[in-house]
Amino acid sequence: MPHNDEPPVSLRIFGKQSRFLREQRGMTRRELAALVPYSESLIAMVERGERPPKPGYVDAVDAALDAGGVLRVLIPDVAEKHHPAWAEEYVNLQAQALALHSYSTHLLHGLLQTESYARAVFRSLRPSLEDEEIENSVQARLTTQNLLLRKPSCRMTFVLEELTLLRKIGGQAIWEEELRKLLKISQLHNVQLQIMPVSRETHAGLDGPLTLLETPAHHTIGYVEGQRGSYFLTDPDDVSVLSHRYGTIRSQAHDAEASRAFIQRLLTGEASA
């Protein structure tokens, strides 16, 4: 089940409608930008369906184009979501999961991130996000962390590449705060956290990160993220491969106790970072 980064239909329809109205009036994007408190580049992204327009934008453009409310009536359909369209389904499945098993290769799983670490991650994205988009994304990510303490508990295992702990995203203070959070999470009765050492000479996770979710109906679904989209894997053969691979990854990683000890040594400076 591939998920690409194509804009949602509602945003594409709104973009085409607003572009049609603008061109019908013989107006360029630059001329429209001079009439509204929004940049020419933002107008272009909205017209391509790449950026959800905020109600203030819709009101301003509707008035500037003398659209008579044609654009305003679409506000409920183009309201900004907390997550990208391709991620919304995964977030919903994760919130309901009976079990979650994740292998991370280049940054910490969103469920494990502090607010400051998450903000640093979103600030690192390119193309850059607007400040408001960053804050909305951070708060949405923190909301997903309710799963850690949900009742009934979700059974969780995380395998983190050692490099995800050595990379000081956001700087020294944010990194130390994140390590302390990992230690706290690792003590939860429903969570097991393991570190995959860089010294491994054989490694079952070379194909990249993966997540396995057990649904309320006791079906296991695989989930794999890429640069511009994601995949759900539901075919039993595919899920079986990922499950076997994840089991091997866990067996190759440090156990939970050794992993906590490693994080502690990073905090105290006894291990190099």
Side-chain angles (χ1 to χ4, degrees):
M1 298 169 59
H3 289 242
N4 57 41
D5 204 44
E6 186 176 350
V9 173
S10 60
L11 296 190
R12 283 182 280 150
I13 291 174
F14 179 89
K16 288 180 179 179
Q17 183 69 44
S18 58
R19 178 178 178 178
F20 172 79
L21 291 171
R22 175 179 59 76
E23 292 179 341
Q24 191 178 52
R25 285 155 180 74
M27 189 182 296
T28 66
R29 287 170 179 158
R30 179 171 297 180
E31 290 170 336
L32 177 58
L35 299 176
V36 298
Y38 299 95
S39 67
E40 183 180 353
S41 62
L42 177 61
I43 292 170
M45 286 188 285
V46 171
E47 288 187 349
R48 292 193 296 265
E50 297 172 356
R51 183 71 61 85
K54 299 183 184 301
Y57 174 97
V58 179
D59 287 337
V61 172
D62 190 280
L65 297 178
D66 194 25
V70 168
L71 298 179
R72 289 194 186 100
V73 299
L74 296 175
I75 287 177
D77 300 303
V78 297
E80 186 172 18
K81 303 294 185 181
H82 290 305
H83 303 278
W86 59 267
E88 197 73 31
E89 186 175 359
Y90 172 79
V91 171
N92 292 335
L93 284 170
Q94 178 180 273
Q96 302 171 44
L98 298 180
L100 178 148
H101 308 290
S102 174
Y103 166 57
S104 300
T105 60
H106 61 290
L107 80 165
L108 301 178
H109 192 285
L111 290 171
L112 305 176
Q113 295 177 10
T114 66
E115 180 174 346
S116 297
Y117 182 99
R119 186 172 291 109
V121 168
F122 286 115
R123 288 195 182 280
S124 297
L125 295 180
R126 295 296 181 271
S128 302
L129 301 178
E130 301 289 342
D131 288 344
E132 186 175 355
E133 291 178 297
I134 291 172
E135 291 309 309
N136 287 341
S137 297
V138 169
Q139 295 309 312
R141 176 153 295 179
L142 295 178
T143 297
T144 67
Q145 295 180 7
N146 293 334
L147 185 63
L148 290 166
L149 301 176
R150 190 198 67 191
K151 301 297 181 184
S153 297
C154 176
R155 303 182 302 278
M156 302 185 204
T157 64
F158 298 92
V159 180
L160 309 174
E161 281 293 333
E162 183 178 327
L163 289 173
T164 65
L165 300 181
L166 302 183
R167 184 172 290 121
K168 299 182 180 181
I169 292 178
Q172 183 74 20
I174 290 175
W175 177 70
E176 292 180 1
E177 178 188 30
E178 180 61 55
L179 293 181
R180 287 192 290 269
K181 176 163 184 169
L182 290 177
L183 287 173
K184 184 176 180 179
I185 290 175
S186 72
Q187 295 171 353
L188 295 174
H189 71 91
N190 58 316
V191 175
Q192 278 204 320
L193 191 152
Q194 296 176 251
I195 309 300
M196 176 70 80
V198 295
S199 59
R200 284 292 316 180
E201 295 184 0
T202 57
H203 196 320
L206 297 181
D207 280 349
L210 67 91
T211 299
L212 294 165
L213 296 172
E214 183 182 349
T215 72
H218 300 287
H219 298 303
T220 299
I221 297 173
Y223 180 73
V224 179
E225 288 187 275
Q227 285 279 345
R228 297 287 289 169
S230 62
Y231 290 88
F232 283 108
L233 298 172
T234 57
D235 183 275
D237 290 338
D238 291 331
V239 173
S240 176
V241 168
L242 289 187
S243 297
H244 176 77
R245 183 172 299 162
Y246 185 73
T248 305
I249 289 171
R250 289 195 68 191
S251 72
Q252 293 174 337
H254 291 314
D255 64 26
E257 290 74 18
S259 297
R260 280 197 298 271
F262 175 74
I263 297 171
Q264 188 64 57
R265 289 198 302 275
L266 284 176
L267 265 175
T268 59
E270 298 173 50
S272 58

